[in-house]
């Protein structure tokens, strides 16, 4: 997992540096900014665990906060300095937070589900905060299994949270819950955000949650996930010729595990330069430019559920004919993406 986060996970930002600095907050940054504003906190010292390239810290700094953070990806840490002029520590919170004291705010955006020992991490967040300091975190919310995409259970996520479970963890770590928000529509799956305040009382012991609701959710989603992957495997079975795949990462790992597509792949294209020259399932990862210039006219399969439309547009803009593009999930014709691309241009 450490190797994955350092060399293959895609948490960098892409685009022109000036445009990235001037861009409005992303959707998750908007949610964090809004929750912190609702708390009425005056700007102080904010620290983000798993801050990637520092894009959200950049937005908090615009609001007057002194910002810092840590991340496991060397390329993301480099971007934080080069693009946003934020000195981010390279490494995990286990080491980085030990040097932090009297923080006003700790931000944890879609990180807690990745950590091996969440209670120990919450204890470190608690120790780094000033008295009455605040923790704001967001994780995927294990609810509404009928709405979730294929692959929602992913090898990156070691834990899955329902509200009562997460609130109990926080209380056990010495936090009091200030506000809990569940958003069903902001992403391709529900998320839960919690603002919690450090208390002066020592961490207590809160009784364990009844597991039946979590088990019902897990079984229900597992059944849905199986049906979704079966439908994808049938779609892949219709592909008879060699293909390129666009998109190297978690979804591709799941796709190649659940289908026979790996046997048909020439190469995998991805826009993330740190992946170029690496392999996934034994297939070389190439740049989009190499794909566009490749003499083969083989079809291009899009390996993404969340970003399928954006990738389709990028392929059309790169000169890939609509007849060569195979989306696995979209019901919209490829020509619709072409018209969208033209309109955007």
């Amino acid at each position: 997992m450490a190797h994955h986060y350092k060399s293959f996970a895609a948490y960098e930002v892409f685009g022109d540096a000036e445009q990235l600095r001037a861009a409005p907050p992303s959707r998750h940054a908007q949610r964090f900014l809004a929750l912190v504003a609702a708390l009425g906190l005056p700007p102080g010292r904010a620290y983000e665990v798993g801050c990637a390239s520092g894009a959200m810290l950049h937005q908090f700094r615009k609001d007057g906060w002194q910002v810092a953070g840590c991340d496991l990806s060397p390329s993301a840490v480099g971007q934080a300095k080069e693009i946003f002029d934020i000195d981010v520590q390279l490494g995990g919170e286990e080491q980085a937070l030990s040097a932090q004291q009297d923080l006003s705010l700790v931000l944890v955006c879609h990180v807690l589900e990745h950590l091996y020992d969440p209670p120990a991490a919450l204890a470190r967040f608690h120790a780094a905060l000033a008295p009455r300091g605040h923790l704001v975190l967001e994780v995927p919310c294990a609810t509404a299994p009928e709405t979730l995409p294929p692959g929602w259970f992913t090898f990156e996520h070691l834990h899955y949270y329902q509200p009562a479970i997460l609130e109990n963890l926080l209380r056990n770590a010495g936090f009091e819950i200030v506000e809990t928000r569940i958003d069903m529509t902001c992403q391709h799956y529900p998320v839960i955000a919690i603002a919690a305040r450090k208390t002066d009382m020592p961490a207590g012991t809160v009784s364990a949650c009844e597991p039946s609701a979590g088990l019902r959710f897990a079984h229900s989603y597992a059944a849905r996930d199986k049906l979704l992957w079966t439908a994808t495997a049938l779609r892949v079975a219709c592909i008879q010729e060699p293909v390129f795949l666009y998109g190297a990462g978690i979804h591709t790992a799941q796709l190649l595990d659940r289908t026979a597509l790996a046997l048909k792949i020439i190469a995998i294209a991805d826009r993330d330069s740190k992946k170029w020259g690496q392999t996934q399932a034994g297939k070389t990862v190439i740049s989009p430019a190499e794909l566009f210039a490749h003499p083969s006219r083989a079809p291009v399969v899009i390996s993404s559920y969340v970003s399928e439309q954006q990738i389709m547009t990028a392929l059309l803009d790169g000169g890939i004919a609509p007849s060569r593009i195979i989306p696995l999930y979209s019901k919209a014709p490829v020509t619709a993406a072409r018209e969208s691309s033209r309109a955007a241009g």
Side-chain angles (χ1 to χ4, degrees), residues 75 96 118 210 219 253 296 327 334:
S75 55
E210 166 58 45
H219 288 303
S296 172
V334 174

Side-chain angles (χ1 to χ4, degrees), residues 188-254:
H188 288 266
Y189 51 82
V191 300
I192 177 172
I194 293 184
R197 182 185 299 115
K198 178 177 178 176
T199 66
D200 298 328
M201 300 295 292
T205 300
V206 180
S207 60
C209 296
E210 166 58 45
S212 58
L215 290 171
R216 284 195 302 271
F217 168 86
H219 288 303
S220 179
Y221 175 67
R224 169 179 165 79
D225 194 48
K226 183 178 179 179
L227 290 174
L228 292 171
W229 282 116
T230 298
T232 302
L234 291 173
R235 177 80 173 94
V236 166
C238 296
I239 302 171
Q240 300 298 321
E241 57 190 310
V243 298
F244 292 100
L245 194 66
Y246 194 106
I250 295 172
H251 188 80
T252 291
Q254 295 171 314

Side-chain angles (χ1 to χ4, degrees), residues 88-176:
V88 169
Q89 294 172 277
L90 177 61
E93 51 81 26
E94 301 94 328
Q95 299 80 32
L97 275 180
S98 62
Q100 300 295 322
Q101 293 181 336
D102 293 325
L103 297 172
S104 310
L105 178 65
V106 171
L107 304 167
V108 187
C109 182
H110 290 262
V111 170
L112 195 67
E113 66 271 26
H114 295 253
L115 303 181
Y116 285 94
D117 192 347
L122 290 173
R124 288 187 286 269
F125 303 162
H126 189 277
L129 284 166
R132 309 290 288 175
H134 285 76
L135 167 67
V136 177
L137 62 85
E138 182 179 283
V139 296
C141 187
T143 189
E146 70 282 356
T147 69
L148 300 177
W152 192 79
F153 282 157
T154 170
F155 67 84
E156 275 199 326
H157 293 175
L158 308 180
H159 309 276
Y160 294 87
Y161 295 102
Q162 294 180 321
I165 294 171
L166 189 53
E167 290 177 350
N168 267 9
L169 277 173
L170 287 163
R171 292 189 181 102
N172 277 332
F175 290 95
E176 58 178 332

Side-chain angles (χ1 to χ4, degrees), residues 33-50:
L33 289 163
L35 188 48
V36 169
L39 297 175
L41 301 182
R45 296 177 59 220
Y47 191 94
E48 185 179 0
V49 174

Side-chain angles (χ1 to χ4, degrees), residues 20-25 56-65 67:
L20 290 168
R21 285 190 284 268
M56 185 159 75
L57 288 175
H58 173 63
Q59 299 296 336
F60 270 84
R61 186 171 58 187
K62 286 183 178 180
D63 279 1
W65 291 83
V67 300

Side-chain angles (χ1 to χ4, degrees), residues 234-291:
L234 291 173
R235 177 80 173 94
V236 166
C238 296
I239 302 171
Q240 300 298 321
E241 57 190 310
V243 298
F244 292 100
L245 194 66
Y246 194 106
I250 295 172
H251 188 80
T252 291
Q254 295 171 314
L255 176 66
L256 300 185
D257 180 59
R258 299 296 192 108
T259 73
L261 187 59
L263 299 174
K264 306 168 186 177
I265 295 174
I266 300 169
I268 303 173
D270 197 278
R271 67 174 180 172
D272 188 347
S273 61
K274 75 174 181 295
K275 299 178 182 179
W276 301 344
Q278 296 197 59
T279 60
Q280 186 164 18
K283 305 299 179 179
T284 301
V285 181
I286 62 175
S287 69
E290 290 178 88
L291 171 64

Side-chain angles (χ1 to χ4, degrees), residues 276-321:
W276 301 344
Q278 296 197 59
T279 60
Q280 186 164 18
K283 305 299 179 179
T284 301
V285 181
I286 62 175
S287 69
E290 290 178 88
L291 171 64
F292 301 148
H294 201 282
S296 172
R297 301 294 93 187
V300 182
V301 176
I302 300 175
S303 177
S304 176
Y305 183 89
V306 173
S307 303
E308 192 173 67
Q309 288 295 315
Q310 296 94 313
I311 293 173
M312 198 182 301
T313 298
L315 291 173
L316 292 168
D317 289 345
I320 302 296

